[in-house]
């Protein structure tokens, strides 16, 4: 059993067989190859600029890195588990290509700041991809909302019909929600956009490096100020996972509504064959599997956050191999959230609404009872609590007669409150109720059109 050449000077014998199974991370961290090459290029150029490495050697190293990139993109690079991770795999191949000069690339650098840099670069890109996915979903929701500014549907509280709203208003609520999700990824990206490179193992380096130059070369805003923090910090990954978890939770809410709305009992929307499946035994079934899977995968993303938080919570500064567990959790969450966002955007764009079913569902349950109470306050000058009691009593009479409020005879209302006049019927229809909700953010079509104009400018 031979020793690892990277640290063979200290160790006289090789690792136990089980170490060859538990130690390697190349199976998953090979996804960091592009970030590893970017960090190495920035580092060797800085070393040459500062006179730490001869420019000729730096050019040789850069040519070797270019060949490695071509091999990876062309599918010809051999990733070796015995070399443990992406960093050593690239370094070993570089040595094969250009000889001992490859070793100069590691001057003033440790695997600790190397992996921290690579990972930040990758997660920064993941924030951008999540933002793009959320924007596409917002655009799909917006397009549907624009078509349904005046499509009346029931609004629910406690899953009971509460007040009439419009489908456009409901969809724009999700546009707002996913806008906040985008803000979380934007904020996370801004906070993580500092370079750990140059922190070396944990204490910095005695070489006269230019950390500002390498940070700028990789698109970071600045170097991290403390070398120990640079090596040990994984809160950037936790913050990304937290943003993923919240976005997944919001996706789950929308997915749940699509599942509900597409049932025959509701019939508010129809999902095409592209996003539904059948049953192995019941030929009539049309199952909203895509929406159910989005809803189900939320637990997976939440688990990724909890798993990494559990790994980090007891770690002393600075580096421990425990942190090798960070990448799989982040990669899994990224793959999951990006897939769910794409699926949800496609589903929303695909759905067909049924305005007649929505309106019919908005009729039962006396959804304009609040409009009646408001009329009593506004016209009869009653305190709202008294008006609430009056409206409740009138609802009881309508319920006992099996009619909606706008079909209840005026005499029945006057038996409860003599001051009520025929003018009250002007506020008791679904359309009147919806159009009256003119407060900022309300469901009145005029207000929804304002929201449409607001979002059209931001989603182009």
């Amino acid at each position: 059993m031979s020793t690892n050449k990277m640290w063979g000077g200290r160790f006289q014998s090789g690792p136990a067989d089980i170490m060859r199974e538990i130690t390697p991370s190349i199976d998953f961290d090979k996804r960091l190859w592009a970030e590893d090459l970017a960090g190495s290029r920035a580092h060797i150029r800085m070393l040459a600029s500062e006179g730490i490495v001869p420019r000729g050697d730096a050019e040789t190293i850069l040519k070797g890195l270019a060949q490695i990139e071509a091999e990876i993109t062309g599918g010809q690079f051999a990733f070796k588990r015995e070399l443990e991770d992406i960093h050593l795999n690239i370094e070993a191949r570089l040595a094969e290509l250009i000889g001992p000069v490859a070793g100069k690339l590691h001057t003033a650098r440790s695997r600790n700041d190397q992996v921290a840099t690579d990972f930040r670069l990758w997660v920064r890109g993941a924030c951008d991809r999540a933002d793009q996915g959320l924007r596409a979903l917002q655009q799909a929701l917006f397009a549907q909302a624009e078509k349904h500014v005046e499509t009346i549907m029931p609004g629910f509280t406690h899953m009971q019909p509460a007040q009439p709203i419009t489908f456009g208003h409901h969809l724009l609520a999700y546009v707002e929600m996913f806008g906040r999700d985008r803000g979380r990824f934007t904020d996370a990206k801004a906070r993580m956009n500092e370079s750990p490179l140059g922190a070396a193992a944990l204490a910095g380096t005695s070489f006269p490096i230019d950390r500002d130059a390498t940070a700028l070369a990789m698109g970071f805003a600045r170097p991290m100020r403390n070398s120990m923090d640079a090596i040990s910090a994984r809160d950037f990954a936790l913050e990304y996972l937290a943003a993923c978890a919240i976005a997944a939770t919001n996706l789950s809410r929308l997915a749940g509504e699509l599942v509900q709305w597409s049932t025959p009992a509701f019939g508010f929307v129809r999902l095409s064959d592209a996003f539904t499946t059948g049953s192995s035994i019941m030929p009539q079934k049309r199952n909203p599997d895509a929406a159910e899977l989005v809803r189900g995968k939320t637990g997976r993303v939440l688990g990724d956050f909890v798993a990494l938080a559990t790994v980090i919570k007891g770690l002393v500064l600075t580096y421990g191999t425990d942190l090798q567990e960070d990448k799989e959790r982040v990669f899994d969450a990224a793959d999951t959230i990006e897939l769910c966002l794409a699926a949800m955007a496609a589903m929303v764009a695909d759905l067909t609404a049924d305005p007649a079913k929505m309106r019919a569902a908005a009729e039962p349950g006396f959804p304009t009872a609040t409009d009646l109470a408001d009329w009593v306050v506004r016209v009869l000058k009653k305190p709202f609590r008294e008006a609430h009691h009056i409206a409740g009593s009138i609802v009881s009479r309508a319920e006992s007669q099996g009619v909606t409020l706008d079909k209840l005879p005026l005499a029945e209302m006057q038996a409860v409150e003599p001051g009520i006049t025929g003018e009250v019927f002007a506020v008791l229809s679904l359309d009147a109720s919806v159009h009256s909700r003119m407060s900022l953010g309300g469901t009145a079509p005029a207000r929804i059109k304002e929201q449409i104009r607001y979002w059209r400018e931001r989603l182009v």
Side-chain angles (χ1 to χ4, degrees):
M1 216 179 276
S2 61
T3 61
N4 188 309
K5 293 180 181 179
M6 298 300 169
W7 50 81
R10 171 66 177 85
F11 290 81
Q12 301 304 312
S13 62
D17 288 344
I18 193 64
M19 286 290 285
R20 294 185 175 187
E21 296 302 318
I22 196 172
T23 302
S25 60
I26 188 61
D27 294 340
F28 53 85
D29 71 14
K30 61 186 177 184
R31 293 176 66 159
L32 297 174
W33 68 265
E35 290 76 17
D36 198 71
L37 290 175
S40 290
R41 285 172 173 140
H43 185 63
I44 194 60
R45 286 176 176 136
M46 179 275 296
L47 292 177
S49 178
E50 297 302 310
I52 300 170
V53 168
R55 288 190 180 276
D57 290 346
E59 288 301 320
T60 300
I61 289 170
L62 287 168
K63 287 177 183 177
L65 293 175
Q67 183 170 339
I68 290 171
E69 180 175 17
E71 290 177 359
I72 295 175
T73 57
Q76 291 136 6
F77 189 92
F79 294 100
K80 300 175 181 178
R81 294 190 88 242
E82 62 267 25
L83 292 174
E84 294 188 6
D85 59 27
I86 186 61
H87 323 296
L88 295 188
N89 267 264
I90 288 177
E91 186 174 339
R93 179 57 179 153
L94 186 63
E96 291 174 356
L97 292 172
I98 66 174
V101 71
K104 295 187 177 183
L105 176 58
H106 210 57
T107 306
R109 186 173 72 167
S110 164
R111 273 205 302 178
N112 290 356
D113 62 340
Q114 190 176 357
V115 67
T117 301
D118 293 358
F119 199 29
R120 276 183 187 259
L121 286 170
W122 196 94
V123 178
R124 188 179 71 181
C127 287
D128 287 336
R129 293 193 300 275
D131 180 73
Q132 292 162 9
L134 285 161
R135 182 174 178 272
L137 175 53
Q138 284 182 298
Q139 289 173 325
L141 288 161
F142 175 84
Q144 290 283 4
E146 209 171 15
K147 293 187 290 188
H148 294 285
V149 170
E150 302 207 30
T151 298
I152 291 176
M153 69 177 291
F156 296 92
T157 62
H158 307 280
M159 269 309 297
Q160 303 294 317
Q163 293 177 309
I165 59 169
T166 71
F167 190 43
H169 191 55
H170 196 129
L171 294 175
L172 286 173
Y174 281 109
V175 173
E176 296 281 346
M177 192 181 299
F178 294 124
R180 290 192 296 276
D181 285 324
R182 292 180 67 185
R184 277 182 275 273
F185 285 108
T186 298
D187 291 347
K189 178 185 173 182
R191 257 184 295 280
M192 74 178 66
N193 200 31
E194 296 181 332
S195 173
L197 192 60
L202 77 159
T205 178
S206 59
F207 289 95
I209 62 173
D210 184 348
R211 294 190 63 209
D212 288 297
T214 52
L216 180 63
M218 292 181 287
F220 286 113
R222 65 192 69 85
M224 296 182 74
R225 285 185 294 271
N226 185 286
S227 62
M228 295 181 72
D229 180 48
I231 295 306
S232 62
R234 291 299 183 274
D235 52 359
F236 71 92
L238 270 183
E239 187 170 10
Y240 168 74
L241 288 176
C244 286
I246 296 171
T249 302
N250 289 337
L251 280 172
S252 183
R253 298 182 74 179
L254 176 56
E257 296 217 272
L258 290 180
V259 171
Q260 184 183 76
W261 291 345
S262 62
T263 61
F266 277 76
F268 291 179
V269 303
R270 179 181 176 85
L271 298 173
S272 75
D273 294 352
F275 294 97
T276 55
T277 64
S279 165
S280 63
I281 190 172
M282 295 168 284
Q284 83 282 8
K285 294 293 293 299
R286 177 185 288 272
N287 301 323
D289 281 10
E292 291 173 345
L293 286 167
V294 169
R295 185 173 60 181
K297 286 181 184 295
T298 299
R300 182 173 183 152
V301 178
L302 292 172
D304 288 328
F305 172 81
V306 172
L308 183 55
T310 304
V311 168
I312 294 172
K313 71 175 184 62
L315 292 185
V316 297
L317 300 183
T318 54
Y319 186 79
T321 311
D322 315 52
L323 291 175
Q324 189 167 292
E325 290 295 309
D326 57 5
K327 294 164 202 65
E328 285 186 283
R329 301 283 62 79
V330 168
F331 292 160
D332 180 72
D335 290 345
T336 303
I337 199 71
E338 290 167 26
L339 176 62
C340 288
L341 285 169
M344 185 60 76
M347 270 190 290
V348 169
D350 172 81
L351 69 82
T352 302
D354 189 331
K357 286 278 185 67
M358 291 184 181
R359 187 181 183 96
E363 293 283 358
F366 310 101
T368 59
T370 303
D371 299 275
L372 171 57
D374 289 345
W375 186 91
V376 171
V377 170
R378 189 168 54 251
V379 177
L380 303 184
K381 310 303 180 185
K382 301 282 189 182
F384 183 79
R385 287 303 173 199
E386 183 179 347
H388 185 284
H389 181 78
I390 291 168
S393 298
I394 292 173
V395 164
S396 293
R397 285 177 175 260
E399 189 173 34
S400 66
Q401 295 189 23
V403 297
T404 57
L405 286 176
D406 59 334
K407 298 295 190 294
L408 185 68
L410 178 61
E412 291 290 332
M413 298 189 195
Q414 290 174 333
V416 175
E417 170 49 58
I420 293 177
T421 68
E423 293 178 3
V424 74
F425 290 100
V427 304
L428 296 182
S429 70
L430 297 178
D431 293 281
S433 176
V434 164
H435 281 81
S436 73
R437 303 293 166 182
M438 280 293 293
S439 58
L440 180 65
T443 195
R447 285 299 196 183
I448 298 173
K449 289 175 183 176
E450 291 177 354
Q451 294 179 48
I452 293 286
R453 288 192 293 272
Y454 173 88
W455 281 109
R456 183 181 292 115
E457 293 177 1
R458 286 156 178 79
L459 294 175
V460 290

